[in-house]
Amino acid sequence: MILEMNDIKKSFGNLNVLRGISLNVDKGEVVSIIGPSGGGKSTFLRCATFLENIDSGEIKYMGKTAASTDEYGNCHYVSAQELREFKSCYGLVFQQFNLFPHYSVLKNVMDAPVAVQKRDKSEAAETAMEMLRKMGLESKADSYPYQLSGGQQQRVAIARALALRPEILFFDEPTSALDPELTGEVLRVIKQLAEENMTMVIVTHEMPFAKAVSNHVIFMDGGVIVEQGAPEKVLGDPNEERTKSFLRNYSQ
Amino acid sequence: MTLSTMLTTMGAGMLRTCTIFFLTLLGALPLGFVIYFARKSKIKVLSSFTKIFISIMRGTPLMLQLLVWYFGPYYLFRWSIRGYRFTAIILGFVLNYAAYFAEIYRGGIESIPAGQYEAAEVLGYTKTQTFFKIILPQVIKRILPSVTNEVITLVKDTSLAFTLAYQEVFSLAKQISASQTSFMPFLIAGIFYYIANYAVAFAMERFEKALDYYK
């Protein structure tokens, strides 16, 4: 099991954003999370990537515990030092790309492997070029992010995440900030990664894409998982009324 | 007095003006960061104290501050202030400008989107790496125009050292003009300040251009 998240709870003040969510992801699995805005999807990814601290529950990567809750209900994380080691297990692709504007495309992709993982510079540059080639962007290696379209920037962000050789990749609405004509190129590279058996968790609003790419679909609303299962089932013939009405509104 | 004697005498003053200028920058640019971090500190006493300090530095005239730094030790503690003049001038300038720089840094650092920190965190950069590699270079680019303004003001503010009877170029211009009943010293001082600021503006523009490779 690559990722295990059990009974995750998270609230901001009085607002219970996550009310006991569990998710297990096996190697090679692609999980899509769909649902209305404000349903807790992004917060869930932010908890999985330690950008937010959970209030209670358990998070494990590769069978190793990163956060757990004791019998008194107090949540404990491992030390900051140990937590940093978990960070090479996963990558996160943001809605807003968040590339480093002062670094060239190549430097964006190869800096973390060198500065964080202490990998050899020429090896890291080679890996970075390989990732950029995969994203169809090798000709843009010396460009700066502002010179690229949104779709290209997002593909650089994917290459940057891949360069750290993560076990699992998270996507937080990777096409929501893009012009409609640019979403295709980003979805295509994610599909390609799925074909290469990359383990992924994708928060998305692209239903046909979710159906095509994932093994498992989760419909989340109001901080709980309303329904989950095979993509054909959840997206094609859901059991729950909430899921049905969401998909109905969506197709309109 | 011939023009060349006038120029030689005032040249020594220009040198003193430049000394104040460079020493102030040397002290205030880094100290501004220290003050910024103190202001942002989680230690409540420290951050409140820093906030009050910045408020006073910005809320009172630099001329008054210079007088306080120079004469304060004598009036308050009866300490001898012999040979202390130059130290008081640098102290006054550095602390005043550091307060302004701290506020410029604050504006720059807070304008960096949270996504930059989050991306760096997820990629596994340490806090120190994030600040020096990701945040600071972007901050420098953003604050450069404000820093240029401040540095140009500093060139002119050095004339306030005349309050403590320090023989920089402005004091000398006043003295020589009075003793020689001549307008020339004012003209020389004016040209000196203008050229100095022209050089500052030129250098800063080059620096801004050098950082133009990204947006």
Side-chain angles (χ1 to χ4, degrees):
Chain A
M1 206 59 91
I2 300 232
L3 170 68
E4 294 161 73
M5 294 178 77
N6 293 315
D7 200 23
I8 305 295
K9 288 181 182 145
K10 171 74 185 173
S11 57
F12 295 110
N14 292 328
L15 188 68
N16 295 317
V17 184
L18 301 176
R19 299 189 292 173
I21 299 231
S22 299
L23 169 72
N24 290 337
V25 186
D26 246 331
K27 196 164 175 58
E29 227 184 334
V30 179
V31 178
S32 288
I33 304 176
I34 60 164
S37 303
K41 305 181 306 285
S42 286
T43 305
F44 185 63
L45 281 200
R46 292 172 64 82
C47 288
T49 52
F50 309 127
L51 287 175
E52 300 284 355
N53 284 346
I54 56 173
D55 296 336
S56 78
E58 186 185 40
I59 303 176
K60 285 184 185 177
Y61 278 96
M62 320 294 293
K64 275 190 286 184
T65 305
S68 57
T69 303
D70 62 24
E71 65 259 46
Y72 307 108
N74 298 317
C75 183
H76 302 282
Y77 276 84
V78 295
S79 71
Q81 178 78 42
E82 291 171 88
L83 211 53
R84 198 163 316 118
E85 283 163 31
F86 280 92
K87 288 184 180 169
S88 52
C89 294
Y90 62 82
L92 171 63
V93 175
F94 297 86
Q95 186 178 342
Q96 301 290 344
F97 332 134
N98 295 339
L99 293 178
F100 303 132
H102 59 305
Y103 284 172
S104 71
V105 164
L106 182 65
K107 177 110 167 145
N108 260 286
V109 180
M110 68 174 280
D111 194 67
V114 175
V116 176
Q117 295 183 331
K118 310 290 176 208
R119 271 153 56 185
D120 177 61
K121 214 169 167 178
S122 61
E123 181 270 326
E126 230 166 83
T127 312
M129 279 313 288
E130 187 191 318
M131 295 305 158
L132 288 173
R133 207 168 300 134
K134 208 167 169 167
M135 295 295 129
L137 288 169
E138 51 181 328
S139 64
K140 299 289 183 190
D142 296 324
S143 302
Y144 282 83
Y146 81 96
Q147 296 166 315
L148 307 182
S149 72
Q152 290 170 330
Q153 288 191 47
Q154 191 60 299
R155 284 184 283 149
V156 174
I158 295 171
R160 178 174 72 173
L162 286 173
L164 289 167
R165 302 203 182 109
E167 298 289 341
I168 179 170
L169 208 47
F170 296 96
F171 292 84
D172 188 6
E173 301 193 24
T175 58
S176 294
L178 298 175
D179 293 336
E181 76 268 22
L182 298 177
T183 59
E185 59 188 78
V186 171
L187 297 181
R188 245 188 325 277
V189 299
I190 300 175
K191 238 178 229 169
Q192 185 194 331
L193 291 175
E195 281 157 18
E196 292 167 11
N197 288 321
M198 181 78 209
T199 313
M200 295 187 279
V201 176
I202 308 165
V203 170
T204 185
H205 288 299
E206 306 279 343
M207 299 308 157
F209 166 73
K211 202 171 197 167
V213 81
S214 35
N215 316 105
H216 192 82
V217 172
I218 291 174
F219 174 67
M220 200 189 274
D221 188 20
V224 294
I225 293 177
V226 176
E227 185 163 359
Q228 59 179 318
E232 303 77 31
K233 178 71 186 144
V234 177
L235 297 167
D237 178 26
N239 294 328
E240 301 293 325
E241 194 45 50
R242 276 296 297 122
T243 319
K244 284 178 194 165
S245 78
F246 172 74
L247 291 173
R248 228 181 0 254
N249 287 336
Y250 215 85
S251 58
Q252 275 165 8
Chain B
M1 191 185 261
T2 62
L3 183 64
S4 76
T5 349
M6 207 180 270
L7 277 173
T8 328
T9 319
M10 289 185 73
M14 291 171 198
L15 220 60
R16 289 190 199 103
T17 296
C18 290
T19 312
I20 298 174
F21 174 79
F22 284 114
L23 285 181
T24 301
L25 284 187
L26 202 67
L29 285 170
L31 186 61
F33 273 109
V34 177
I35 293 174
Y36 164 75
F37 284 116
R39 203 199 133 123
K40 286 273 136 191
S41 166
K42 288 194 184 93
I43 307 161
K44 198 91 183 89
V45 191
L46 186 60
S47 68
S48 313
F49 174 80
T50 316
K51 232 174 135 176
I52 294 167
F53 170 79
I54 293 173
S55 170
I56 293 172
M57 286 297 115
R58 299 207 300 176
T60 59
L62 177 51
M63 199 186 278
L64 182 66
Q65 289 170 23
L66 288 171
L67 291 170
V68 167
W69 291 122
Y70 186 46
F71 294 112
Y74 175 73
Y75 285 130
L76 294 174
F77 311 111
R78 297 286 150 187
W79 290 349
S80 161
I81 54 173
R82 197 172 313 206
Y84 165 68
R85 188 194 317 269
F86 184 68
T87 315
I89 290 168
I90 298 304
L91 188 68
F93 273 100
V94 167
L95 290 176
N96 182 276
Y97 272 79
Y100 278 95
F101 284 136
E103 287 297 285
I104 291 177
Y105 298 159
R106 186 169 71 88
I109 290 170
E110 286 175 2
S111 75
I112 304 295
Q116 293 288 306
Y117 290 94
E118 291 179 352
E121 195 184 327
V122 170
L123 290 168
Y125 290 96
T126 63
K127 286 226 156 68
T128 319
Q129 283 177 325
T130 303
F131 183 74
F132 285 104
K133 289 177 73 91
I134 311 297
I135 305 302
L136 188 60
Q138 298 184 55
V139 168
I140 289 173
K141 183 180 165 88
R142 287 182 190 215
I143 63 173
L144 224 42
S146 322
V147 170
T148 305
N149 265 337
E150 222 31 59
V151 174
I152 285 176
T153 306
L154 173 61
V155 170
K156 295 175 284 183
D157 272 0
T158 52
S159 58
L160 291 173
F162 100 98
T163 330
L164 303 188
Y166 186 69
Q167 302 258 304
E168 44 69 61
V169 72
F170 178 78
S171 306
L172 286 172
K174 249 182 72 167
Q175 280 169 27
I176 299 171
S177 169
S179 65
Q180 305 290 317
T181 55
S182 162
F183 180 71
M184 203 49 162
F186 292 153
L187 194 66
I188 294 170
I191 291 170
F192 165 75
Y193 284 117
Y194 185 80
I195 290 175
N197 271 328
Y198 193 86
V200 167
F202 179 79
M204 294 305 271
E205 205 178 312
R206 286 289 289 271
F207 193 16
E208 275 183 50
K209 277 233 173 72
L211 293 180
D212 252 359
Y213 65 89
Y214 74 91
K215 277 182 186 135

